[in-house]
Coordinates of all heavy atoms in Angstrom, one line a residue:
M1 N -56.3 12.6 -37.5 CA -55.2 13.3 -36.8 C -54.7 12.6 -35.6 O -53.6 12.5 -35.3 CB -55.8 14.7 -36.4 CG -54.7 15.6 -35.7 SD -53.5 16.0 -37.0 CE -52.7 17.4 -36.2
R2 N -55.7 11.9 -34.9 CA -55.3 11.2 -33.7 C -54.5 9.9 -34.1 O -53.5 9.6 -33.3 CB -56.6 10.7 -33.1 CG -56.5 10.4 -31.6 CD -57.9 10.1 -31.1 NE -58.5 11.2 -30.4 CZ -59.1 11.2 -29.3 NH1 -59.4 10.0 -28.8 NH2 -59.6 12.3 -28.8
A3 N -54.7 9.3 -35.2 CA -53.9 8.1 -35.6 C -52.5 8.6 -35.9 O -51.5 7.8 -35.6 CB -54.5 7.5 -36.8
V4 N -52.3 9.8 -36.5 CA -51.0 10.3 -36.8 C -50.2 10.6 -35.5 O -49.0 10.2 -35.3 CB -51.0 11.6 -37.7 CG1 -49.6 12.2 -37.8 CG2 -51.6 11.2 -39.0
R5 N -50.9 11.2 -34.5 CA -50.2 11.5 -33.2 C -49.8 10.2 -32.5 O -48.8 10.2 -31.9 CB -51.2 12.3 -32.4 CG -50.5 13.3 -31.5 CD -51.4 14.1 -30.7 NE -52.3 14.9 -31.5 CZ -53.4 15.5 -31.1 NH1 -53.7 15.4 -29.8 NH2 -54.1 16.3 -31.8
G6 N -50.7 9.2 -32.5 CA -50.4 8.0 -31.9 C -49.2 7.2 -32.5 O -48.4 6.7 -31.8
R7 N -49.2 7.2 -33.8 CA -48.1 6.6 -34.6 C -46.8 7.4 -34.3 O -45.8 6.7 -34.1 CB -48.5 6.6 -36.0 CG -47.5 5.7 -36.8 CD -47.9 5.5 -38.3 NE -49.2 4.9 -38.3 CZ -50.0 4.9 -39.3 NH1 -49.8 5.7 -40.3 NH2 -51.2 4.3 -39.3
L8 N -46.9 8.7 -34.3 CA -45.6 9.5 -34.0 C -45.1 9.2 -32.6 O -43.9 9.0 -32.4 CB -45.9 11.0 -34.2 CG -44.8 11.9 -34.0 CD1 -43.7 11.6 -35.0 CD2 -45.2 13.4 -34.1
G9 N -46.0 9.0 -31.6 CA -45.6 8.8 -30.3 C -45.0 7.4 -30.2 O -43.9 7.2 -29.5
A10 N -45.5 6.4 -30.9 CA -44.9 5.1 -30.9 C -43.5 5.1 -31.5 O -42.6 4.4 -31.0 CB -45.8 4.1 -31.7
I11 N -43.3 5.8 -32.6 CA -42.1 6.0 -33.3 C -41.0 6.6 -32.3 O -39.9 6.2 -32.1 CB -42.1 6.7 -34.6 CG1 -42.9 5.8 -35.6 CG2 -40.8 7.0 -35.1 CD1 -43.2 6.5 -36.9
V12 N -41.4 7.7 -31.6 CA -40.5 8.4 -30.7 C -40.1 7.4 -29.6 O -38.9 7.3 -29.2 CB -41.1 9.7 -30.2 CG1 -40.4 10.2 -29.0 CG2 -41.3 10.7 -31.3
A13 N -41.1 6.7 -29.0 CA -40.8 5.7 -27.9 C -39.9 4.6 -28.4 O -39.0 4.3 -27.7 CB -42.2 5.1 -27.4
L14 N -40.0 4.2 -29.6 CA -39.2 3.2 -30.2 C -37.7 3.7 -30.3 O -36.7 3.0 -30.0 CB -39.7 2.7 -31.5 CG -38.8 1.6 -32.2 CD1 -38.9 0.3 -31.3 CD2 -39.4 1.2 -33.5
L15 N -37.6 4.9 -30.8 CA -36.3 5.5 -31.0 C -35.6 5.7 -29.6 O -34.4 5.4 -29.5 CB -36.4 6.8 -31.7 CG -36.7 6.7 -33.2 CD1 -36.9 8.1 -33.8 CD2 -35.7 5.9 -33.9
V16 N -36.3 6.1 -28.6 CA -35.7 6.3 -27.3 C -35.3 5.0 -26.7 O -34.2 4.9 -26.2 CB -36.8 7.0 -26.3 CG1 -36.3 7.0 -24.9 CG2 -37.0 8.5 -26.8
A17 N -36.1 4.0 -26.9 CA -35.8 2.6 -26.3 C -34.5 2.1 -27.1 O -33.7 1.5 -26.4 CB -36.9 1.7 -26.5
A18 N -34.5 2.3 -28.4 CA -33.3 1.8 -29.1 C -32.0 2.6 -28.7 O -31.0 2.0 -28.5 CB -33.5 2.0 -30.6
G19 N -32.1 3.9 -28.5 CA -31.0 4.7 -28.0 C -30.5 4.3 -26.7 O -29.3 4.1 -26.4
L20 N -31.4 4.0 -25.7 CA -31.1 3.5 -24.4 C -30.4 2.1 -24.5 O -29.4 1.8 -23.8 CB -32.3 3.4 -23.5 CG -32.9 4.8 -23.0 CD1 -34.2 4.6 -22.3 CD2 -31.9 5.5 -22.2
A21 N -30.9 1.3 -25.3 CA -30.3 -0.1 -25.5 C -28.9 0.0 -26.0 O -28.0 -0.7 -25.6 CB -31.2 -1.0 -26.4
L22 N -28.7 0.8 -27.0 CA -27.3 1.0 -27.6 C -26.4 1.6 -26.6 O -25.2 1.2 -26.5 CB -27.4 1.9 -28.9 CG -28.1 1.2 -30.1 CD1 -28.2 2.2 -31.2 CD2 -27.2 0.0 -30.5
S23 N -26.8 2.5 -25.8 CA -25.9 3.1 -24.8 C -25.6 2.1 -23.7 O -24.5 2.1 -23.2 CB -26.5 4.4 -24.3 OG -27.7 4.2 -23.6
A24 N -26.5 1.2 -23.4 CA -26.2 0.2 -22.4 C -25.2 -0.8 -22.9 O -24.3 -1.2 -22.2 CB -27.5 -0.5 -22.0
L25 N -25.4 -1.2 -24.2 CA -24.4 -2.1 -24.8 C -23.0 -1.4 -24.9 O -22.0 -2.1 -24.7 CB -24.9 -2.5 -26.2 CG -26.1 -3.5 -26.2 CD1 -26.6 -3.8 -27.6 CD2 -25.7 -4.8 -25.5
A26 N -23.0 -0.2 -25.3 CA -21.7 0.5 -25.4 C -21.0 0.5 -24.0 O -19.8 0.5 -24.0 CB -21.9 1.9 -25.9
G27 N -21.7 0.7 -23.0 CA -21.2 0.7 -21.6 C -20.5 -0.6 -21.2 O -19.6 -0.7 -20.5
L28 N -21.0 -1.7 -21.8 CA -20.4 -3.0 -21.5 C -19.0 -3.2 -22.0 O -18.2 -3.9 -21.5 CB -21.3 -4.1 -22.0 CG -22.7 -4.2 -21.3 CD1 -23.5 -5.4 -22.1 CD2 -22.6 -4.6 -19.9
T29 N -18.8 -2.6 -23.1 CA -17.5 -2.8 -23.8 C -16.5 -1.6 -23.6 O -15.4 -1.6 -24.0 CB -17.7 -3.0 -25.3 OG1 -18.3 -1.9 -25.9 CG2 -18.4 -4.3 -25.5
W30 N -17.0 -0.5 -23.0 CA -16.2 0.7 -22.8 C -15.1 0.5 -21.8 O -15.3 0.0 -20.7 CB -17.1 1.9 -22.4 CG -16.3 3.1 -22.2 CD1 -15.7 3.9 -23.1 CD2 -16.0 3.7 -20.9 NE1 -15.2 5.0 -22.5 CE2 -15.2 4.9 -21.2 CE3 -16.3 3.4 -19.6 CZ2 -14.8 5.6 -20.1 CZ3 -15.8 4.2 -18.6 CH2 -15.1 5.3 -18.9
R31 N -13.9 0.8 -22.1 CA -12.7 0.7 -21.2 C -12.0 2.0 -21.2 O -11.9 2.7 -22.2 CB -11.7 -0.4 -21.6 CG -12.3 -1.8 -21.8 CD -12.7 -2.4 -20.5 NE -11.5 -2.9 -19.9 CZ -11.5 -3.6 -18.9 NH1 -12.7 -4.0 -18.4 NH2 -10.5 -4.1 -18.3
R32 N -11.6 2.4 -20.0 CA -10.8 3.7 -19.8 C -9.5 3.4 -20.4 O -8.8 2.5 -20.3 CB -10.7 4.0 -18.3 CG -12.0 4.4 -17.7 CD -11.8 4.6 -16.2 NE -13.0 5.0 -15.6 CZ -13.9 4.2 -15.0 NH1 -13.7 2.9 -15.1 NH2 -14.9 4.7 -14.4
S33 N -9.0 4.5 -21.2 CA -7.7 4.4 -21.7 C -6.8 5.2 -20.8 O -7.0 6.4 -20.5 CB -7.7 5.0 -23.1 OG -6.4 5.1 -23.7
L34 N -5.8 4.6 -20.3 CA -4.9 5.2 -19.3 C -3.5 5.3 -19.8 O -2.9 4.5 -20.5 CB -4.8 4.3 -18.0 CG -6.1 4.2 -17.2 CD1 -5.9 3.1 -16.2 CD2 -6.5 5.5 -16.6
A35 N -3.0 6.5 -19.6 CA -1.5 6.8 -19.9 C -0.7 6.4 -18.6 O -1.0 6.8 -17.6 CB -1.3 8.3 -20.2
I36 N 0.2 5.6 -18.8 CA 1.1 5.1 -17.8 C 2.5 5.6 -18.0 O 3.1 5.3 -19.1 CB 1.1 3.6 -17.7 CG1 -0.3 3.0 -17.3 CG2 2.1 3.1 -16.6 CD1 -0.5 1.6 -17.3
P37 N 3.0 6.4 -17.1 CA 4.4 6.9 -17.3 C 5.4 5.7 -17.5 O 5.2 4.7 -16.9 CB 4.7 7.7 -16.0 CG 3.4 8.1 -15.5 CD 2.5 6.9 -15.9
A38 N 6.4 5.9 -18.3 CA 7.4 4.9 -18.6 C 8.1 4.4 -17.4 O 8.4 3.3 -17.3 CB 8.3 5.3 -19.7
D39 N 8.5 5.4 -16.5 CA 9.3 5.0 -15.4 C 8.5 5.2 -14.1 O 7.8 6.2 -13.9 CB 10.6 5.8 -15.4 CG 11.5 5.6 -16.6 OD1 11.6 4.4 -16.9 OD2 12.0 6.6 -17.2
G40 N 8.8 4.3 -13.1 CA 8.2 4.4 -11.8 C 9.1 4.9 -10.8 O 10.2 5.4 -11.2
P41 N 8.8 4.9 -9.6 CA 7.7 4.2 -9.0 C 6.4 5.0 -9.4 O 6.4 6.1 -9.7 CB 7.9 4.2 -7.5 CG 8.9 5.3 -7.3 CD 9.6 5.5 -8.5
W42 N 5.2 4.2 -9.3 CA 4.0 4.7 -9.7 C 3.0 4.9 -8.6 O 3.1 4.2 -7.5 CB 3.4 3.8 -10.7 CG 4.1 3.7 -12.0 CD1 4.1 4.6 -13.0 CD2 5.0 2.7 -12.3 NE1 4.9 4.2 -14.1 CE2 5.6 3.0 -13.6 CE3 5.6 1.6 -11.7 CZ2 6.5 2.2 -14.3 CZ3 6.5 0.8 -12.3 CH2 7.0 1.1 -13.6
Q43 N 2.0 5.8 -8.8 CA 0.9 5.9 -7.9 C -0.4 5.9 -8.7 O -0.4 6.6 -9.7 CB 1.0 7.2 -7.1 CG -0.1 7.4 -6.0 CD 0.1 8.7 -5.2 OE1 -0.1 9.8 -5.9 NE2 0.4 8.6 -4.0
V44 N -1.4 5.2 -8.2 CA -2.6 5.2 -8.9 C -3.6 6.1 -8.1 O -3.7 6.0 -6.9 CB -3.2 3.8 -9.0 CG1 -4.6 3.8 -9.7 CG2 -2.3 2.8 -9.7
V45 N -4.2 7.0 -8.8 CA -5.0 8.0 -8.1 C -6.5 7.8 -8.6 O -6.7 7.9 -9.8 CB -4.6 9.5 -8.5 CG1 -5.5 10.5 -7.8 CG2 -3.1 9.7 -8.0
L46 N -7.4 7.7 -7.7 CA -8.8 7.5 -8.0 C -9.5 8.8 -7.5 O -9.4 9.1 -6.3 CB -9.4 6.3 -7.4 CG -8.7 5.0 -7.6 CD1 -9.4 3.8 -6.9 CD2 -8.6 4.7 -9.1
R47 N -10.4 9.3 -8.3 CA -11.2 10.5 -7.9 C -12.6 10.1 -8.0 O -13.1 9.6 -9.0 CB -10.9 11.7 -8.8 CG -9.5 12.3 -8.4 CD -9.3 13.5 -9.3 NE -7.9 14.1 -9.0 CZ -6.8 13.7 -9.6 NH1 -6.8 12.7 -10.5 NH2 -5.7 14.2 -9.2
H48 N -13.4 10.2 -6.9 CA -14.8 9.8 -6.8 C -15.1 8.4 -7.3 O -16.0 8.2 -8.2 CB -15.6 10.8 -7.5 CG -15.5 12.2 -6.9 ND1 -16.0 12.7 -5.7 CD2 -14.7 13.3 -7.4 CE1 -15.6 13.9 -5.4 NE2 -14.9 14.3 -6.4
P49 N -14.3 7.4 -6.9 CA -14.5 6.1 -7.4 C -15.8 5.5 -6.9 O -16.3 5.7 -5.8 CB -13.4 5.3 -6.8 CG -13.0 6.0 -5.5 CD -13.3 7.5 -5.8
A50 N -16.5 4.7 -7.8 CA -17.8 4.1 -7.5 C -17.7 2.6 -8.0 O -16.9 2.4 -8.9 CB -18.9 4.9 -8.2
G51 N -18.4 1.8 -7.4 CA -18.4 0.4 -7.8 C -17.6 -0.4 -6.9 O -17.2 0.0 -5.8
G52 N -17.3 -1.7 -7.3 CA -16.5 -2.7 -6.4 C -15.1 -2.6 -6.7 O -14.4 -3.6 -7.0
W53 N -14.5 -1.4 -6.6 CA -13.1 -1.3 -7.0 C -12.0 -1.6 -5.9 O -10.9 -1.9 -6.2 CB -12.8 0.2 -7.4 CG -13.3 1.2 -6.3 CD1 -14.5 1.7 -6.2 CD2 -12.6 1.6 -5.2 NE1 -14.6 2.5 -5.1 CE2 -13.4 2.5 -4.4 CE3 -11.3 1.4 -4.6 CZ2 -13.0 3.0 -3.2 CZ3 -10.9 2.0 -3.5 CH2 -11.8 2.8 -2.7
S54 N -12.5 -1.7 -4.7 CA -11.5 -1.8 -3.6 C -10.7 -3.1 -3.6 O -9.5 -3.2 -3.2 CB -12.2 -1.7 -2.2 OG -13.2 -2.6 -2.0
A55 N -11.3 -4.2 -4.1 CA -10.6 -5.5 -4.2 C -9.4 -5.4 -5.1 O -8.4 -6.1 -4.9 CB -11.6 -6.6 -4.6
C56 N -9.4 -4.5 -6.1 CA -8.3 -4.3 -7.0 C -7.1 -3.8 -6.2 O -6.0 -4.1 -6.8 CB -8.7 -3.4 -8.1 SG -10.1 -3.9 -9.1
L57 N -7.2 -3.2 -5.2 CA -6.1 -2.6 -4.5 C -5.5 -3.6 -3.5 O -4.5 -3.4 -2.8 CB -6.5 -1.4 -3.7 CG -7.0 -0.2 -4.6 CD1 -7.3 1.0 -3.7 CD2 -6.1 0.1 -5.7
D58 N -6.0 -4.9 -3.5 CA -5.5 -6.0 -2.7 C -4.4 -6.7 -3.5 O -3.8 -7.7 -3.0 CB -6.5 -7.0 -2.3 CG -7.5 -6.4 -1.3 OD1 -7.1 -5.4 -0.5 OD2 -8.7 -6.9 -1.3
D59 N -4.0 -6.1 -4.6 CA -2.9 -6.7 -5.5 C -1.6 -6.7 -4.7 O -1.3 -5.8 -4.0 CB -2.9 -5.9 -6.8 CG -2.0 -6.6 -7.8 OD1 -0.8 -6.5 -7.7 OD2 -2.5 -7.2 -8.7
A60 N -0.8 -7.7 -4.9 CA 0.5 -7.9 -4.3 C 1.4 -6.7 -4.6 O 2.3 -6.4 -3.8 CB 1.1 -9.2 -4.6
S61 N 1.3 -6.0 -5.7 CA 2.1 -5.0 -6.1 C 1.8 -3.7 -5.5 O 2.5 -2.7 -5.6 CB 2.2 -4.8 -7.6 OG 0.9 -4.5 -8.1
V62 N 0.6 -3.5 -4.8 CA 0.2 -2.3 -4.2 C 0.8 -2.3 -2.8 O 0.6 -3.2 -2.0 CB -1.3 -2.2 -4.1 CG1 -1.7 -0.9 -3.3 CG2 -1.9 -2.2 -5.5
A63 N 1.7 -1.3 -2.5 CA 2.4 -1.3 -1.2 C 1.6 -0.6 -0.2 O 1.5 -1.0 1.0 CB 3.8 -0.5 -1.4
T64 N 1.0 0.6 -0.5 CA 0.2 1.4 0.5 C -1.0 2.0 -0.2 O -0.9 2.3 -1.4 CB 1.1 2.4 1.2 OG1 1.5 3.4 0.2 CG2 2.2 1.9 2.0
T65 N -2.0 2.3 0.6 CA -3.2 3.0 0.1 C -3.6 4.0 1.1 O -3.3 3.9 2.3 CB -4.3 2.1 -0.2 OG1 -4.8 1.4 1.1 CG2 -4.1 1.0 -1.2
A66 N -4.2 5.1 0.6 CA -4.8 6.1 1.5 C -6.1 6.5 0.8 O -6.3 6.6 -0.3 CB -3.8 7.3 1.5
T67 N -7.0 6.8 1.7 CA -8.4 7.1 1.4 C -8.9 8.3 2.2 O -8.5 8.4 3.3 CB -9.4 6.0 1.7 OG1 -8.8 4.8 1.0 CG2 -10.7 6.2 1.1
T68 N -9.6 9.2 1.5 CA -10.2 10.3 2.3 C -11.2 9.8 3.2 O -11.8 8.7 3.1 CB -10.8 11.4 1.3 OG1 -11.7 10.7 0.5 CG2 -9.8 12.0 0.4
D69 N -11.5 10.6 4.3 CA -12.4 10.2 5.3 C -13.9 10.3 4.9 O -14.7 9.7 5.6 CB -12.2 11.0 6.6 CG -10.9 10.6 7.3 OD1 -10.4 9.5 7.1 OD2 -10.3 11.5 8.0
D70 N -14.2 11.0 3.9 CA -15.6 11.2 3.5 C -16.1 9.9 2.9 O -15.4 9.1 2.4 CB -15.7 12.3 2.5 CG -14.9 12.2 1.3 OD1 -13.9 11.5 1.3 OD2 -15.2 12.9 0.3
L71 N -17.4 9.6 3.0 CA -18.0 8.4 2.5 C -19.1 8.8 1.5 O -20.0 9.6 1.9 CB -18.5 7.6 3.6 CG -17.6 6.9 4.5 CD1 -18.2 6.2 5.6 CD2 -16.6 6.0 3.8
P72 N -19.1 8.3 0.3 CA -18.1 7.5 -0.2 C -16.8 8.3 -0.5 O -16.9 9.5 -0.6 CB -18.7 7.0 -1.6 CG -19.7 8.0 -1.9 CD -20.2 8.6 -0.6
A73 N -15.7 7.6 -0.5 CA -14.4 8.3 -0.6 C -14.3 9.1 -1.9 O -14.7 8.6 -3.0 CB -13.3 7.3 -0.6
S74 N -13.9 10.3 -1.8 CA -13.7 11.2 -3.0 C -12.4 11.1 -3.6 O -12.1 11.5 -4.7 CB -14.1 12.6 -2.6 OG -13.2 13.1 -1.6
Y75 N -11.4 10.6 -2.8 CA -10.0 10.5 -3.3 C -9.3 9.3 -2.7 O -9.3 9.2 -1.5 CB -9.3 11.9 -2.9 CG -8.0 12.1 -3.6 CD1 -8.0 12.7 -4.9 CD2 -6.8 11.9 -3.0 CE1 -6.8 12.9 -5.5 CE2 -5.6 12.2 -3.6 CZ -5.6 12.7 -4.8 OH -4.4 13.0 -5.5
V76 N -8.7 8.5 -3.5 CA -7.9 7.3 -3.1 C -6.6 7.3 -3.8 O -6.6 7.5 -5.1 CB -8.7 6.0 -3.4 CG1 -8.0 4.8 -3.0 CG2 -10.1 6.0 -2.7
T77 N -5.5 7.0 -3.1 CA -4.3 6.8 -3.7 C -3.7 5.4 -3.4 O -4.0 4.9 -2.3 CB -3.2 7.9 -3.3 OG1 -3.0 7.8 -1.9 CG2 -3.7 9.3 -3.7
A78 N -3.0 4.8 -4.3 CA -2.4 3.5 -4.2 C -0.9 3.6 -4.6 O -0.7 3.8 -5.8 CB -3.1 2.4 -4.8
D79 N 0.0 3.5 -3.7 CA 1.4 3.5 -4.2 C 1.8 2.1 -4.5 O 1.6 1.2 -3.6 CB 2.3 4.1 -3.0 CG 2.1 5.5 -2.8 OD1 1.5 6.2 -3.6 OD2 2.4 6.0 -1.6
L80 N 2.4 1.9 -5.7 CA 2.9 0.6 -6.0 C 4.2 0.4 -5.4 O 5.0 1.3 -5.1 CB 2.9 0.4 -7.5 CG 1.5 -0.1 -8.0 CD1 0.5 1.1 -8.0 CD2 1.6 -0.7 -9.3
A81 N 4.6 -0.9 -5.2 CA 5.9 -1.3 -4.6 C 7.0 -0.7 -5.5 O 6.8 -0.6 -6.7 CB 6.0 -2.8 -4.5
S82 N 8.1 -0.5 -4.9 CA 9.3 0.1 -5.6 C 9.8 -0.9 -6.7 O 10.3 -0.4 -7.7 CB 10.4 0.3 -4.6 OG 10.9 -0.8 -4.0
D83 N 9.5 -2.3 -6.6 CA 9.9 -3.2 -7.6 C 8.8 -3.5 -8.6 O 8.9 -4.4 -9.4 CB 10.5 -4.4 -6.9 CG 9.5 -5.2 -6.1 OD1 8.4 -4.6 -5.8 OD2 9.7 -6.4 -5.8
A84 N 7.7 -2.8 -8.5 CA 6.6 -3.0 -9.5 C 7.0 -2.7 -10.9 O 7.8 -1.8 -11.1 CB 5.4 -2.2 -9.0
T85 N 6.4 -3.4 -11.8 CA 6.7 -3.2 -13.3 C 5.5 -2.5 -13.9 O 4.5 -2.4 -13.3 CB 7.0 -4.5 -13.9 OG1 5.8 -5.3 -13.9 CG2 8.2 -5.3 -13.3
V86 N 5.7 -2.0 -15.1 CA 4.6 -1.5 -15.9 C 3.5 -2.5 -16.1 O 2.3 -2.1 -16.0 CB 5.2 -1.0 -17.3 CG1 4.0 -0.6 -18.2 CG2 6.1 0.1 -17.2
R87 N 3.9 -3.8 -16.2 CA 2.9 -4.8 -16.3 C 2.0 -4.9 -15.0 O 0.8 -5.0 -15.1 CB 3.6 -6.2 -16.5 CG 2.7 -7.3 -16.8 CD 3.5 -8.6 -17.0 NE 2.8 -9.5 -17.7 CZ 3.2 -10.7 -18.1 NH1 4.5 -10.9 -18.0 NH2 2.5 -11.5 -18.8
D88 N 2.6 -4.7 -13.8 CA 1.9 -4.7 -12.6 C 1.0 -3.5 -12.5 O -0.3 -3.6 -12.1 CB 2.8 -4.6 -11.4 CG 3.7 -5.8 -11.2 OD1 3.3 -6.9 -11.5 OD2 4.9 -5.6 -10.8
V89 N 1.4 -2.4 -12.9 CA 0.6 -1.1 -12.9 C -0.6 -1.3 -13.9 O -1.7 -1.0 -13.5 CB 1.4 0.1 -13.4 CG1 0.5 1.4 -13.4 CG2 2.6 0.3 -12.5
R90 N -0.3 -1.9 -15.0 CA -1.4 -2.1 -16.0 C -2.5 -3.1 -15.5 O -3.7 -2.9 -15.6 CB -0.8 -2.6 -17.3 CG -1.9 -2.6 -18.5 CD -1.2 -2.9 -19.8 NE 0.0 -2.2 -20.1 CZ 0.1 -0.9 -20.5 NH1 -1.0 -0.2 -20.6 NH2 1.2 -0.3 -20.8
R91 N -2.0 -4.1 -14.8 CA -3.0 -5.1 -14.2 C -3.8 -4.5 -13.2 O -5.1 -4.7 -13.2 CB -2.2 -6.2 -13.6 CG -3.0 -7.3 -13.0 CD -2.2 -8.5 -12.3 NE -1.4 -8.0 -11.2 CZ -0.1 -7.9 -11.2 NH1 0.6 -8.3 -12.3 NH2 0.5 -7.5 -10.1
V92 N -3.3 -3.6 -12.3 CA -4.1 -2.9 -11.3 C -5.0 -1.9 -12.0 O -6.3 -1.9 -11.6 CB -3.2 -2.2 -10.3 CG1 -4.0 -1.3 -9.3 CG2 -2.4 -3.2 -9.4
A93 N -4.6 -1.2 -12.9 CA -5.4 -0.2 -13.6 C -6.5 -0.8 -14.4 O -7.6 -0.3 -14.4 CB -4.5 0.7 -14.5
E94 N -6.2 -2.0 -15.0 CA -7.3 -2.7 -15.8 C -8.3 -3.3 -14.8 O -9.5 -3.2 -15.2 CB -6.7 -3.8 -16.7 CG -5.9 -3.2 -17.9 CD -5.3 -4.2 -18.8 OE1 -5.3 -5.4 -18.4 OE2 -4.7 -3.9 -19.8
C95 N -7.9 -3.8 -13.7 CA -8.9 -4.3 -12.7 C -9.8 -3.1 -12.3 O -11.0 -3.3 -12.2 CB -8.1 -4.8 -11.5 SG -9.2 -5.5 -10.2
L96 N -9.1 -2.0 -11.9 CA -9.9 -0.8 -11.5 C -10.9 -0.3 -12.6 O -12.0 -0.1 -12.3 CB -9.0 0.3 -11.1 CG -8.3 0.1 -9.8 CD1 -7.1 1.1 -9.7 CD2 -9.2 0.2 -8.6
S97 N -10.4 -0.3 -13.8 CA -11.2 0.1 -15.0 C -12.4 -0.8 -15.1 O -13.5 -0.3 -15.5 CB -10.4 0.1 -16.3 OG -11.1 0.6 -17.3
G98 N -12.2 -2.1 -14.9 CA -13.4 -3.0 -15.1 C -14.3 -3.0 -13.9 O -15.5 -3.2 -14.1
A99 N -13.8 -2.6 -12.7 CA -14.7 -2.7 -11.5 C -15.4 -1.4 -11.2 O -16.5 -1.4 -10.6 CB -13.8 -3.1 -10.4
M100 N -14.8 -0.2 -11.6 CA -15.4 1.0 -11.3 C -16.5 1.4 -12.2 O -16.5 1.1 -13.5 CB -14.3 2.1 -11.5 CG -13.3 2.1 -10.3 SD -12.0 3.3 -10.5 CE -12.9 4.9 -10.6
T101 N -17.6 1.8 -11.6 CA -18.8 2.2 -12.4 C -18.9 3.8 -12.5 O -19.8 4.3 -13.2 CB -20.1 1.7 -11.7 OG1 -20.2 2.2 -10.4 CG2 -20.1 0.2 -11.7
G102 N -17.9 4.5 -11.9 CA -17.9 5.9 -12.0 C -16.6 6.4 -11.4 O -15.9 5.7 -10.8
G103 N -16.3 7.7 -11.7 CA -15.0 8.2 -11.2 C -14.0 8.2 -12.2 O -14.2 7.8 -13.4
T104 N -12.7 8.6 -11.8 CA -11.6 8.6 -12.8 C -10.4 7.9 -12.2 O -10.3 7.9 -10.9 CB -11.2 10.1 -13.1 OG1 -10.8 10.8 -11.9 CG2 -12.3 10.9 -13.7
I105 N -9.6 7.5 -13.1 CA -8.3 6.7 -12.7 C -7.2 7.5 -13.3 O -7.2 7.8 -14.5 CB -8.3 5.3 -13.2 CG1 -9.6 4.5 -12.6 CG2 -7.0 4.6 -12.8 CD1 -9.7 3.2 -13.4
Q106 N -6.1 7.7 -12.6 CA -4.9 8.3 -13.2 C -3.7 7.6 -12.6 O -3.8 7.3 -11.4 CB -4.9 9.8 -12.8 CG -3.7 10.5 -13.4 CD -3.7 12.0 -13.0 OE1 -4.4 12.4 -12.1 NE2 -2.9 12.8 -13.7
V107 N -2.8 7.4 -13.5 CA -1.5 6.8 -13.0 C -0.4 7.8 -13.1 O -0.3 8.4 -14.2 CB -1.1 5.5 -13.8 CG1 0.2 4.9 -13.3 CG2 -2.2 4.5 -13.7
V108 N 0.3 8.1 -12.0 CA 1.4 9.1 -12.0 C 2.7 8.5 -11.6 O 2.6 7.5 -10.8 CB 1.0 10.4 -11.2 CG1 -0.2 11.0 -11.8 CG2 0.7 10.0 -9.8
A109 N 3.8 9.1 -12.0 CA 5.1 8.7 -11.4 C 5.3 9.5 -10.2 O 5.0 10.7 -10.1 CB 6.2 8.9 -12.5
I110 N 5.8 8.9 -9.2 CA 6.1 9.6 -7.9 C 7.6 9.6 -7.7 O 8.3 8.7 -8.1 CB 5.4 9.0 -6.7 CG1 5.7 7.5 -6.5 CG2 3.9 9.3 -6.9 CD1 5.1 6.9 -5.3
N111 N 8.1 10.6 -6.9 CA 9.5 10.6 -6.6 C 9.8 9.7 -5.5 O 9.1 9.6 -4.5 CB 9.9 12.1 -6.2 CG 9.8 13.0 -7.3 OD1 9.9 12.7 -8.4 ND2 9.4 14.3 -7.0
P112 N 10.8 8.8 -5.6 CA 11.2 7.8 -4.6 C 11.7 8.5 -3.3 O 12.1 9.6 -3.3 CB 12.2 7.0 -5.3 CG 12.7 7.7 -6.4 CD 11.7 8.7 -6.8

């Protein structure tokens, strides 16, 4: 009976380890899918961002940013320049998607 219990424990441990490894690998290739409105000007909205995302907002197409006072910031907005293109928005959004380890990204059209 003891041998069966030991073998079952080893199998369960192996399955848990395999599941953790697969979820870690899935996280390496996972990218957020973002809907970008066809017409701008655009604003990128981050909710509860985590990770090294702030460098992405140093992009030349980002005109202004605003961050909540709480730390870590719970809400960040980045207005893109009036002459920014969809390509610019996508570049900033992809940078954020790759740099953020948590939180959400949303791209919205704003009224000029």
Side-chain angles (χ1 to χ4, degrees):
M1 185 67 165
R2 206 174 259 220
V4 171
R5 212 179 299 165
R7 191 173 295 155
L8 182 60
I11 291 171
V12 168
L14 181 63
L15 290 174
V16 168
L20 290 173
L22 287 174
S23 61
L25 288 174
L28 293 175
T29 59
W30 177 75
R31 304 289 282 189
R32 291 172 177 91
S33 175
L34 294 173
I36 298 175
D39 297 318
W42 296 275
Q43 181 179 70
V44 178
V45 179
L46 308 178
R47 290 182 180 84
H48 303 283
W53 53 270
S54 61
C56 297
L57 300 183
D58 291 335
D59 190 281
S61 63
V62 176
T64 61
T65 61
T67 306
T68 55
D69 289 334
D70 55 338
L71 292 174
S74 60
Y75 194 80
V76 177
T77 60
D79 294 341
L80 274 74
S82 58
D83 61 344
T85 65
V86 171
R87 187 179 201 172
D88 295 325
V89 179
R90 191 170 314 282
R91 181 180 62 249
V92 171
E94 287 177 357
C95 178
L96 289 164
S97 180
M100 287 175 58
T101 57
T104 61
I105 304 168
Q106 182 181 16
V107 178
V108 298
I110 55 174
N111 295 328

